[in-house]
Amino acid sequence: MNAHAANGTVLHSISRNITYPGSSTLTCTPNLGTSTYKATLGATGAYNTYATPVPGVGLRIKFSDNSPPGYWPVSANWSSSNRVTFNQTTYLVFELVKTGPITAGGQITGQIGVADVDYGNFRAATFSINGAIQIVPQILTCKAESPPPVMLGNISSREFTGVGTTTKATPFDIALTCSGGASGAAIGIHTTLTDQTHADNRSDTLSLTPNSTATGLGIQLLRGTTPIKYGQDSSAAGNPNQWLAVGSATNGTYSIPLTGRYIQTAPKVTAGTANGRATFTMSYQ
C-alpha cells in the first residue's frame, strides 16, 4: 500500500461475498418499506469513506452489482414486497482510500455495518469481517550518512576586505539511502537546515560555535550558487526555509551536493578558529 499516494487514491480494492448462516427469509406487513445499509464505523467523511483505526486510511463499501447503487450509506426501496430472502450470492466491494498522512499500519476487524428496515424499526442484518483486513502501508524513509567535518581551510584574515566578502567554496555531499516505499512510487524529499548554535537563526549565515576564537565571520552553506537559509528543526510541510533536496525519490541511494564557505559579517576580522554546526531534517511530501 503506497502511503505516499495523493489523497483520494484507492489504495486497495477487493470484492467479497456475504456469507449468511444459511438462507433466511424476512417478512413484513404490509411491506418491507426502506432498508438502509450503513457502516458502524462512525460518520462518513471525505471521499465517501468511514474512518478506520489507521489514520489517513478510510474505508468505503458498495454492492458489486450497484443494487442499490452508490457507496454506503445507501437505501433500498422494498415497499413493493413484503418478503426478502438473504442468500450467499451478494457481493460487497471494499475500498481503502487515502484520506490524509499515513504513518503506521493496523487492521479492521469485527462488525462493520448493518441493514436497518424502516417498517417495524428493526435491524435485519449485521455485517462483520471474518478475520481481519490488514493495512500495511509502504512508507519511504531515508537514512542519511552524516558527512565528515567539512574543512574550509586556513584563510588569512587579510583576504577579507569588507562585509560580505566570501572565500572559495568547498564541496561536500549528504548521502541518503532510501527504502520501504511502494514499487515505482516516487516522492519529494524536502530538507531544513537548523543552526545548532542559534536555533532561531533564519538568515543564510551559520553562526560560529561558542568555542570559536575568530570574530567577524560566519559560514554559508550553498545549493549551487544559492546560500541556504536556516529554519526550525521540523519535518512539517512548508516549514520556513525548507527546500527540495530530491525531487522524485524512490528506493535507492541519493547524494545531495552542497558547498561551504566563510563570509565576513563585521567590519573587522580577527584570526582564530571558526567552526559552525548545523543539522538537517527531512520531510517526505
Side-chain angles (χ1 to χ4, degrees):
M1 179 181 294
N2 180 13
H4 302 295
N7 288 349
T9 300
V10 177
L11 302 172
H12 186 68
S13 178
I14 191 170
S15 177
R16 288 289 184 267
N17 71 305
I18 301 174
T19 301
Y20 294 99
S23 297
S24 58
T25 300
L26 174 66
T27 304
C28 291
T29 302
N31 55 57
L32 294 169
T34 300
S35 176
T36 300
Y37 297 89
K38 59 186 177 182
T40 52
L41 301 171
T44 54
Y47 314 109
N48 299 304
T49 64
Y50 296 89
T52 73
V54 179
V57 177
L59 173 67
R60 63 188 182 194
I61 308 169
K62 65 179 180 180
F63 288 98
S64 61
D65 61 357
N66 283 317
S67 180
Y71 292 104
W72 288 16
V74 293
S75 296
N77 186 352
W78 290 345
S79 59
S80 62
S81 174
N82 65 353
R83 176 176 296 185
V84 64
T85 299
F86 296 97
N87 53 47
Q88 314 291 330
T89 62
T90 303
Y91 280 77
L92 292 177
V93 176
F94 300 91
E95 294 178 348
L96 297 176
V97 181
K98 184 178 180 186
T99 58
I102 304 171
T103 59
Q107 65 179 16
I108 306 172
T109 187
Q111 181 178 305
I112 60 168
V114 295
D116 289 339
V117 178
D118 286 352
Y119 285 179
N121 190 26
F122 70 95
R123 182 150 292 170
T126 61
F127 302 91
S128 299
I129 295 174
N130 182 15
I133 299 176
Q134 300 292 338
I135 301 176
V136 183
Q138 294 176 286
I139 303 173
L140 181 75
T141 57
C142 300
K143 180 180 179 181
E145 297 181 15
S146 297
V150 180
M151 309 305 295
L152 301 184
N154 296 318
I155 310 295
S156 171
S157 60
R158 291 190 296 271
E159 294 188 28
F160 296 100
T161 59
V163 173
T165 300
T166 58
T167 61
K168 181 180 179 180
T170 299
F172 67 97
D173 295 324
I174 298 175
L176 301 177
T177 301
C178 302
S179 61
S183 177
I187 193 170
I189 300 175
H190 293 70
T191 300
T192 304
L193 291 183
T194 302
D195 185 338
Q196 289 300 289
T197 302
H198 294 291
D200 58 350
N201 180 9
R202 300 295 178 263
S203 75
D204 61 9
T205 300
L206 181 65
S207 307
L208 298 185
T209 58
N211 61 352
S212 297
T213 56
T215 62
L217 294 175
I219 297 171
Q220 285 187 326
L221 301 181
L222 301 91
R223 294 184 296 128
T225 59
T226 303
I228 299 172
K229 291 185 176 181
Y230 297 88
Q232 180 184 2
D233 183 2
S234 170
S235 60
N239 189 43
N241 295 330
Q242 189 180 80
W243 46 277
L244 181 62
V246 181
S248 186
T250 57
N251 298 328
T253 58
Y254 299 89
S255 181
I256 304 173
L258 301 173
T259 58
R261 68 188 182 188
Y262 288 117
I263 182 171
Q264 185 174 344
T265 59
K268 181 180 179 181
V269 174
T270 61
T273 58
N275 302 314
R277 183 182 295 274
T279 59
F280 58 93
T281 305
M282 291 180 290
S283 175
Y284 308 103
Q285 301 173 33

